[in-house]
Amino acid sequence: MSAERQVTEAWGRIEGWLRQYAPASHAALLPGASEDEILAVEEVYGVPVPEALRTLWKLTGGCNEGFAGVFFKNYDLVPLGTGVDFHRGQMRFQQEAGDDIDGIPRWRSDWIPAFSNSRDSQAFVRYLDCESGLLYSWDRYGMNNYGTEKEELDSVSTYLEEVADSLESPALAVRDSPGLIDGYLVWESRAHVQPDTWRPFPA
């Protein structure tokens, strides 16, 4: 199955679940990007954006409010412009700081920020390594699991499929379990935000 089809099918399952069970999260979804918008950011990155991420960008622009991130840990899709600004900042820092940290690059030109803990503040990021097609974790406090086995590594396609599987079959969820707060999807790992009102799904 092509990456485009995998992503389209997985996102359709996620969006369908949100529409039915988490209408507030569904209402916060933004429309996808145009081909011209994607080509513009691709020029900045200087590498072809892998098909899976391109497809997801065309389907959704993420959410219009920070509380509504729909991926594990309520991560959100990084907006195109925010991702470009973040990438430029990291590349400047890499050039100024020089050496890698314990053999791991601070940042590389073919790393594209894909998901983060907040659409407006990238303290914790899952970035796509265009060379391998895998997602890695980075945070501003010095953690980068590139080239390590600190966590399960996903492609964009497998990541979305696991999110969809966890929503549709919560009893089989491994990484995170879905719940609800006032019509929003809130994963169990974020239940501490409003512990008195969080309810697991299904209740």
Side-chain angles (χ1 to χ4, degrees):
M1 185 185 297
S2 69
E4 180 179 7
R5 182 177 172 187
Q6 281 182 286
V7 168
T8 300
E9 289 187 358
W11 178 250
R13 293 166 59 199
I14 294 168
E15 186 178 9
W17 189 95
L18 295 173
R19 184 184 298 110
Q20 182 172 0
Y21 299 110
S25 290
H26 186 266
L29 293 176
L30 292 168
S34 68
E35 181 65 20
D36 286 345
E37 289 172 323
I38 294 173
L39 288 173
V41 301
E42 204 169 44
E43 286 188 17
V44 175
Y45 291 123
V47 294
V49 175
E51 190 63 33
L53 184 56
R54 290 177 68 91
T55 300
L56 184 59
W57 281 347
K58 291 178 181 180
L59 293 168
T60 179
C63 299
N64 63 11
E65 49 184 297
F67 186 67
V70 300
F71 303 103
F72 293 132
K73 301 181 183 179
N74 283 95
Y75 272 38
D76 196 6
L77 187 65
V78 177
L80 294 189
T82 303
V84 165
D85 291 342
F86 175 81
H87 182 270
R88 283 173 170 158
Q90 290 304 118
M91 289 303 297
R92 282 196 300 269
F93 181 66
Q94 170 73 21
Q95 292 165 2
E96 293 167 1
D99 294 340
D100 299 342
I101 302 173
D102 296 329
I104 299 175
R106 299 174 189 271
W107 197 260
R108 280 190 358 195
S109 60
D110 62 345
W111 291 354
I112 299 178
F115 306 95
S116 74
N117 65 313
S118 169
R119 60 174 282 108
D120 301 315
S121 175
Q122 283 65 57
F124 299 88
V125 171
R126 296 207 77 192
Y127 63 86
L128 178 63
D129 171 34
C130 292
E131 182 178 359
S132 68
L134 296 176
L135 294 166
Y136 293 91
S137 293
W138 173 97
D139 71 47
R140 67 175 56 171
Y141 308 105
M143 193 280 284
N144 185 344
N145 75 333
Y146 180 74
T148 73
E149 297 179 354
K150 291 182 180 178
E151 66 175 59
E152 182 180 355
L153 299 179
D154 313 280
S155 66
V156 171
S157 301
T158 60
Y159 181 65
L160 294 180
E161 287 174 340
E162 187 176 350
V163 171
D165 289 345
S166 298
L167 292 173
E168 293 175 346
S169 302
L172 302 179
V174 174
R175 198 176 316 196
D176 212 346
S177 297
L180 297 169
I181 297 177
D182 299 330
Y184 287 94
L185 165 64
V186 178
W187 294 91
E188 185 174 16
S189 58
R190 298 293 296 163
H192 63 277
V193 174
Q194 294 185 31
D196 295 336
T197 55
W198 186 82
R199 296 292 180 269
F201 177 89

